[in-house]
Amino acid sequence: MPVVVEPLVIAIDGPGGSGKSTVAASLATAMSLPVLSTGVFFRAVAWGLADTGVDDAQVDDWFDRHSVAVEGQLGVVDGVVLTDELRSPVVQVSLSKVAASPRVRSHVLDLERREIERLGECVVEGRDIGSVVWPHASCKFFLAARQEVRLRRRPEEGPKLFERDRKDSIRAHAPLVIADDAFIVDNSDDAVDELVIRMRELIGVRTGRC
Ligand SMILES: Nc1ncnc2c1ncn2[C@@H]1O[C@H](COP(=O)(O)OP(=O)(O)OP(=O)(O)O)[C@@H](O)[C@H]1O
Ligand SMILES: Nc1ccn([C@@H]2O[C@H](COP(=O)(O)O)[C@@H](O)[C@H]2O)c(=O)n1
């Protein structure tokens, strides 16, 4: 019987400012893998829906008429690259509501899974990667950092960061949770390079690869 080796998919979840995108990018570079930041999908959709609303019909109609893609930390809607727009006030104000919409989540889930399949082996970061998007990920991490550290890392958002975390954690669909089989990594006091070394060791233990 041929041995089937599953593509290596590393899932990283955690609250805002816990270092997900920074660590995911460094880990991906160290392992020569591509990286997918799924929050960019939600930010791009929040920007696109700003003049509409998040009723189910409005959401389905918007996805019928528009295309959304992620390129690194940039969102692309209908071929237009979004940069500063993704952290603009209009996005910040509606982000949690947009991310809580079951119709938005269903459309974005399709996009996330298609992108992971296209990439093959990758590092993926978000809120529900290990629990919902890719539950059979090769290795899962839940990044944590103390509140005061996260606040320091996201000065532009301020304490609203905690409100966003709270809404992400209590929503009915695909909330921010710690997957049962995730390694919990508090990186409040760790440099990114040290963290990447530690995570690679854990990936090696879990997968026998790395
Ligand atoms: N281990 C670390 N040590 C010091 N600074 C860090 C560390 N990890 C991340 N940072 C810094 O904290 C800031 C936020 O990090 P990052 O964007 O990776 O967090 P995140 O979890 O992806 O946040 P969000 O979900 O809000 O987008 C960045 O400026 C980054 O450089
Ligand atoms: N898998 C995910 C990723 C993100 N979200 C929502 O998007 C917001 C922005 O995410 P960032 O990582 O760019 O800060 C986040 O607060 C969530 O509301 C999500 O629901 N699931």
Side-chain angles (χ1 to χ4, degrees):
M1 282 272 279
V3 178
V4 178
V5 180
E6 289 289 319
L8 192 73
V9 175
I10 310 298
I12 303 181
D13 291 300
S18 59
K20 298 178 300 296
S21 49
T22 307
V23 168
S26 294
L27 182 66
T29 301
M31 297 179 70
S32 302
L33 293 174
V35 64
L36 175 63
S37 286
T38 58
V40 176
F41 279 121
F42 291 94
R43 289 179 183 276
V45 172
W47 183 81
L49 285 171
D51 297 328
T52 318
V54 290
D55 287 357
D56 289 356
Q58 290 170 318
V59 169
D60 287 343
D61 180 58
W62 189 86
F63 275 93
D64 279 347
R65 291 186 297 109
H66 300 280
S67 69
V68 193
V70 168
E71 288 176 10
Q73 291 301 313
L74 307 178
V76 185
V77 173
D78 300 333
V80 176
V81 177
L82 306 178
T83 54
D84 294 346
E85 293 90 339
L86 298 180
R87 290 189 184 267
S88 63
V90 78
V91 166
Q92 297 294 92
V93 92
S94 64
L95 189 52
S96 301
K97 195 170 172 191
V98 167
S101 151
R103 291 309 303 150
V104 168
R105 296 210 75 83
S106 167
H107 287 285
V108 172
L109 184 60
D110 284 347
L111 295 169
E112 290 167 321
R113 287 184 171 160
R114 247 186 279 152
E115 185 61 7
I116 294 170
E117 270 160 19
R118 188 184 75 77
L119 294 171
E121 300 207 309
C122 53
V123 179
V124 190
E125 61 95 356
R127 300 293 186 294
D128 59 341
I129 309 305
S131 54
V132 173
V133 177
W134 214 255
H136 302 297
S138 322
C139 190
K140 302 178 189 177
F141 293 97
F142 188 90
L143 284 199
R146 292 190 301 276
Q147 283 207 341
E148 81 271 13
V149 173
R150 294 194 291 117
L151 200 54
R152 208 184 316 129
R153 288 179 185 172
R154 283 253 167 267
E156 72 290 354
E157 195 169 352
K160 285 191 184 140
L161 175 67
F162 305 132
E163 185 54 17
R164 182 155 67 92
D165 290 341
R166 195 184 69 82
K167 288 180 179 162
D168 283 342
S169 304
I170 62 166
R171 67 177 173 234
H173 297 271
L176 169 66
V177 289
I178 305 175
D180 291 341
D181 47 352
F183 291 112
I184 302 172
V185 179
D186 188 311
N187 67 101
S188 306
D189 305 310
D190 297 313
V192 175
D193 290 356
E194 292 165 19
L195 198 60
V196 166
I197 292 170
R198 207 159 97 223
M199 288 168 79
R200 289 191 74 178
E201 284 168 1
L202 293 170
I203 293 168
V205 169
R206 182 80 26 114
T207 68
R209 298 175 62 182
C210 210

